Amino acid sequence: MLTALESGVRGGKWHSLIDKVWSLANLRAAYARVKRNHGAAGVDHQTVEGFERRREENLAHISEQLREGKYQPQAVRRVMIPKPGRKEKRPLGVPTVRDRVTQTALRNVLEPIFEHEFAQHSYGFRPGRGAKDALRRVDALLKQGFTWVVDADIKSFFDSIDHERLMTLMEQKIADSRVLALLGQYLGQRVMASMEAWTPEAGTPQGAVISPLLANIFLNPLDHVIAQAGYEMTRYADDFVVQCRSEEEARVALAVIQTWMTTAGLRLHPDKTRIVNATAPGGFDFLGYHFEAGKRWPSKKSKQKLKDRHRALTARTSGDSLKAIIASTNRVTRGWFEYFKHSHRAIFPELDGWLRGRLRSILRKRRGGKGRARGHDHQRWPNSFFAEQGLFSMTAAHVLASQSSRR
């Protein structure tokens, strides 16, 4: 894509981009990605499967509308989803499949252009980068003595992005008026929730395909301000920390961040933004991990999320066989462990034991018992029993992973 784009750059600005967006090859690639991600239907109730049945016709229609300047995004369906381990909910925007395809095609064109500008310490939603890369950087900096941490939280970031400021940033690189107009249409998409509908004056909907790229573009100037000031920042989308060698340095860094936030029309959350000494009790959370006193383990939210998923699979009234239940929990546990396997070893026996307790409670009920497993249930169904049934043990997997790492 970048090779195709380079013929259209003049004076540091990119021209003639819309034809790359409407290209059928690009739209097909975009649809393939949307299909892999599945996702719910939007306000038009069309599913990915429904789109697939007339795929080529649908893609050709999108291409034609973009080429003729007649494309109009549909409203975004807003749903509220629970935050892990909390009573609060966060809004999620669900565009139609048609709009997800078009947004992905637009992102395919814009992303290579702006990737050149992004800072090295930005990791979220970028090609070839991920959360584990960001965590490795944080861990390495802690070991180098950058233990005073500005643990920052931007209040309602995705709902607060200033459209005019974002479009100004886009115009610094993009000269194709039709691409800018299409982007403006997405920013002005109506939002539908239940029987209400409105047009947002700021923000990008969480859940929109293009939102993570727009978030990186909007926060990229902050990345460079912090880097030029000499501070060590690690950012993943709107989640970031700045690591310093002293408390005084951290306070100055926080002041720099607050000044930038004010100019950008954003606010740091007053209760969630703080300066932390990572070598002292308390520590800080970042990307699901908790860092404290030279160790790291899953945050309370991460553990709660795992338990919530397991609770749904291990109700005492479940009619599934034990083998089927264990197969379901194993899929969840393996994925969770793969992300958190670099945690301190003490965390895994606790979680393994909690899950075995849930399974014992199911078996207890099937024998006519009441309540949670206790007493002789542990002798009746020892840990070895569950190992024989194929239950995945994070404790055992961590030992193997540690041995492999040492080798």
Side-chain angles (χ1 to χ4, degrees):
M1 178 62 76
L2 186 59
T3 302
L5 293 171
E6 283 175 343
S7 61
V9 61
R10 297 190 297 276
K13 287 195 175 187
W14 301 76
H15 302 254
S16 305
L17 298 177
I18 192 65
D19 60 311
K20 314 300 188 299
V21 179
W22 76 49
S23 144
L24 278 174
N26 185 22
L27 288 169
R28 288 189 185 106
Y31 172 70
R33 180 171 292 187
V34 170
K35 183 180 177 181
R36 282 197 302 272
N37 293 337
H38 302 293
V43 295
D44 62 354
H45 306 293
Q46 184 178 54
T47 62
V48 173
E49 292 76 17
F51 191 97
E52 170 74 21
R53 283 193 285 272
R54 301 175 64 183
R55 180 187 58 197
E56 287 303 310
E57 183 181 337
N58 288 330
L59 294 178
H61 185 57
I62 292 172
S63 178
E64 181 183 357
Q65 286 191 316
L66 287 170
R67 189 162 48 247
E68 295 178 356
K70 295 179 180 179
Y71 188 90
Q72 290 291 328
Q74 294 171 279
V76 173
R77 181 169 66 88
R78 172 169 281 199
V79 295
M80 303 300 291
I81 61 173
K83 293 185 176 181
R86 294 158 69 179
K87 293 182 179 178
E88 299 174 56
K89 293 187 176 183
R90 68 180 179 92
L92 182 69
V94 183
T96 62
V97 176
R98 166 180 171 271
D99 283 334
R100 296 207 293 272
V101 171
T102 311
Q103 283 188 28
T104 304
L106 179 60
R107 186 183 69 182
N108 289 347
V109 173
L110 295 178
E111 189 173 66
I113 295 171
F114 286 94
E115 264 295 312
H116 287 285
E117 308 295 320
F118 291 156
Q120 284 297 309
H121 61 250
S122 166
Y123 292 91
F125 305 101
R126 294 184 59 191
R129 289 167 169 253
K132 287 192 175 182
D133 299 309
L135 290 165
R136 276 191 283 269
R137 172 175 164 80
V138 169
D139 195 48
L141 287 168
L142 288 172
K143 290 173 180 174
Q144 292 170 34
F146 293 86
T147 55
W148 283 92
V149 181
V150 180
D151 182 13
D153 185 280
I154 306 175
K155 188 174 177 63
S156 303
F157 170 68
F158 280 93
D159 289 335
S160 304
I161 292 176
D162 181 271
H163 289 175
E164 185 176 344
R165 183 181 180 90
L166 176 60
M167 291 304 295
T168 298
L169 291 170
M170 301 297 300
E171 289 165 6
Q172 290 174 4
K173 286 291 175 183
I174 307 299
D176 189 319
S177 60
R178 293 177 67 179
V179 165
L180 293 171
L182 180 60
L183 182 60
Q185 285 180 302
Y186 280 124
L187 293 177
Q189 272 180 290
R190 286 179 65 74
V191 177
M192 293 187 67
S194 298
M195 301 302 291
E196 295 182 271
W198 69 94
T199 301
E201 296 180 359
T204 65
Q206 295 187 58
V209 175
I210 204 166
S211 288
L213 174 62
L214 299 182
N216 278 334
I217 292 170
F218 197 85
L219 290 175
N220 187 52
L222 172 64
D223 292 342
H224 291 288
V225 164
I226 297 299
Q228 288 165 11
Y231 301 117
E232 299 291 349
M233 181 183 192
T234 305
R235 182 174 68 80
Y236 191 96
D238 61 326
D239 196 358
F240 69 91
V241 292
V242 177
Q243 294 172 252
C244 304
R245 291 190 179 275
S246 68
E247 182 178 8
E248 180 183 0
E249 186 181 336
R251 293 194 181 281
V252 176
L254 178 55
V256 172
I257 295 167
Q258 286 173 322
T259 298
W260 187 89
M261 291 288 168
T262 300
T263 63
L266 299 173
R267 283 197 305 146
L268 292 176
H269 198 296
D271 300 324
K272 298 179 182 178
T273 299
R274 60 204 181 107
I275 292 174
V276 178
N277 179 0
T279 64
F284 66 98
D285 293 348
F286 186 61
L287 298 183
Y289 271 90
H290 180 77
F291 292 83
E292 183 178 334
K295 299 182 179 69
R296 59 173 166 166
W297 56 82
S299 67
K300 289 181 180 179
K301 288 182 187 177
S302 299
K303 290 192 290 183
Q304 188 62 50
K305 186 175 181 180
L306 175 66
K307 288 183 175 182
D308 286 346
R309 293 185 69 187
H310 276 155
R311 279 193 183 95
L313 298 170
T314 57
R316 287 198 289 270
T317 55
S318 174
D320 294 334
S321 69
L322 182 63
K323 284 281 189 184
I325 294 171
I326 286 175
S328 297
T329 61
N330 279 353
R331 283 191 289 272
V332 172
T333 309
R334 287 179 191 277
W336 194 88
F337 175 78
E338 183 59 32
Y339 186 75
F340 289 106
K341 65 184 178 183
H342 302 292
S343 300
H344 189 267
R345 65 181 180 276
I347 193 68
F348 300 115
E350 168 205 337
L351 292 170
D352 282 340
W354 179 87
L355 179 56
R356 285 193 298 267
R358 298 281 300 178
L359 297 174
R360 287 189 184 103
S361 295
I362 293 173
L363 296 173
R364 176 185 175 86
K365 181 174 176 60
R366 291 179 180 179
R367 284 178 60 92
K370 296 182 179 179
R372 296 171 59 187
R374 56 186 181 273
H376 291 298
D377 294 331
H378 293 269
Q379 286 76 47
R380 187 174 290 119
W381 301 293
N383 295 356
S384 58
F385 167 80
F386 294 105
E388 290 167 3
Q389 300 302 310
L391 182 66
F392 179 75
S393 167
M394 290 190 284
T395 305
H398 184 261
V399 171
L400 290 175
S402 299
Q403 290 173 348
S404 176
S405 177
R406 283 195 293 271
R407 286 198 295 271

